[in-house]
Amino acid sequence: MLLFHGVDDIAPQGLRPWIMPPERFAEHMDAVVASGRGAISISQLVDGLAGRATLPENPVAITFDDGLADFATWAWPALRERCLPATLYVVTGSIGQRAVWLGPFGEPVPPMLSWDQLRRLDDEGCEIGAHTHTHPELDTLPQSRVEEEVRRSRSLLGEALGHPVRSFAYPHGYHGARVRAQVVAAGFDSATAVGNGLSSDADDPFAITRLTVTTDMGTDVVRRALDGDHPLVGPYPERLRTKAWRTYRRARRIGRAGMR
């Protein structure tokens, strides 16, 4: 499963690895088409793995995190031109504003999609998923905050789109058993992580592995990944270094709060 963030000609210096020029994105999508893989949404993938639907022989899902406005300008037209579906995960607290959590990466801070644009994308067949309300590192938060972030994002999207939202994406990919339990309890039936590897039919539906595609990745790299040539294939267990990194991030968050 492939993970993108932004497609635009303009990006702050700090975001250039993740906001790629439209021409590069088009090349990547051409590589997806040429691979012969059947493109599906994340919910279609989950339904297929659960036996509720038939999957193409070699499925691939194209996903976008955050909900930046450039998705409607550049990414979605390129996808529709190639008849490729996608799943878009949206940070609800910044809809119609700017992606404030990206401010530290420099100016200009990317604008977000509006509610009207999200409804239009939903009507046109793009799967809309939740990406929390404020884009925090969920695994460092107290339980009550995790619940609020997860449930509020699903509730707002469901109300705006007029139907339940099925899929969730963890900000930064950070999660653990405690966070996953909250996602399940909120009513989602899937969640995507990062992992920067290839997913498999053995992936936990609430920790689906995705490969981040960055601007410096040529089409040859994407082509090899689509052919299954990648050293990491999910699922793989959370490593001790991940737990240590979480402890550090939690301490950093608490320290920053105490300085305010």
Side-chain angles (χ1 to χ4, degrees):
M1 306 305 129
L2 304 179
L3 165 60
F4 296 86
H5 288 85
V7 179
D8 205 336
D9 284 316
I10 300 172
Q13 181 69 34
L15 288 176
R16 287 180 184 172
W18 299 282
I19 298 182
M20 66 178 59
E23 296 79 9
R24 174 54 60 91
F25 180 70
E27 292 170 356
H28 289 323
M29 294 305 97
D30 287 339
V32 172
V33 173
S35 74
R37 286 182 171 267
I40 55 177
S41 70
I42 290 294
S43 288
Q44 288 173 323
L45 171 69
V46 171
D47 285 344
L49 294 177
R52 297 188 293 266
T54 301
L55 288 175
E57 185 174 351
N58 294 301
V60 61
I62 300 163
T63 69
F64 272 77
D65 280 5
D66 299 339
L68 303 183
D70 59 49
F71 181 84
T73 305
W74 297 109
W76 186 237
L79 290 162
R80 294 193 79 189
E81 181 182 344
R82 294 162 178 79
C83 298
L84 296 172
T87 301
L88 171 67
Y89 294 105
V90 181
V91 178
T92 52
S94 294
I95 292 174
Q97 304 173 45
R98 290 190 178 268
V100 292
W101 69 94
L102 297 178
F105 290 91
E107 296 288 342
V109 178
M112 294 282 288
L113 292 163
S114 69
W115 284 110
D116 283 344
Q117 287 176 309
L118 283 175
R119 281 186 281 265
R120 188 158 53 249
L121 288 165
D122 182 64
D123 288 342
E124 292 175 356
C126 180
E127 178 179 23
I128 307 298
H131 197 37
T132 70
H133 190 63
T134 65
H135 203 276
E137 298 175 1
L138 288 174
D139 59 339
T140 69
L141 300 181
Q143 193 78 349
S144 60
R145 276 287 313 282
V146 175
E147 181 178 7
E148 178 187 2
E149 288 282 343
V150 173
R151 290 183 180 274
R152 189 174 184 187
S153 61
R154 185 170 192 262
S155 175
L156 288 171
L157 285 172
E159 181 179 344
L161 301 178
H163 62 79
V165 171
R166 298 179 56 187
S167 191
F168 182 86
Y170 306 107
H172 313 284
Y174 296 145
H175 66 285
R178 181 176 65 93
V179 174
R180 287 196 298 273
Q182 286 292 335
V183 173
V184 173
F188 293 100
D189 58 22
S190 72
T192 55
V194 179
N196 284 326
L198 303 181
S199 59
S200 77
D201 58 7
D203 265 354
D204 181 337
F206 289 92
I208 298 170
T209 304
R210 295 183 293 170
L211 175 65
T212 303
V213 182
T214 55
T215 302
D216 61 355
M217 290 174 65
T219 53
D220 57 327
V221 177
V222 174
R223 199 173 290 118
R224 288 199 303 271
L226 291 167
D227 288 340
D229 181 14
H230 194 279
L232 293 178
V233 178
Y236 37 91
E238 182 182 47
R239 294 167 174 81
L240 288 176
R241 64 177 178 81
T242 306
K243 294 179 180 178
W245 177 232
R246 177 183 303 145
T247 301
Y248 165 75
R249 289 184 290 106
R250 185 178 291 121
R252 182 183 60 185
R253 177 183 61 80
I254 294 171
R256 286 175 176 172
M259 293 171 63
R260 291 175 188 153

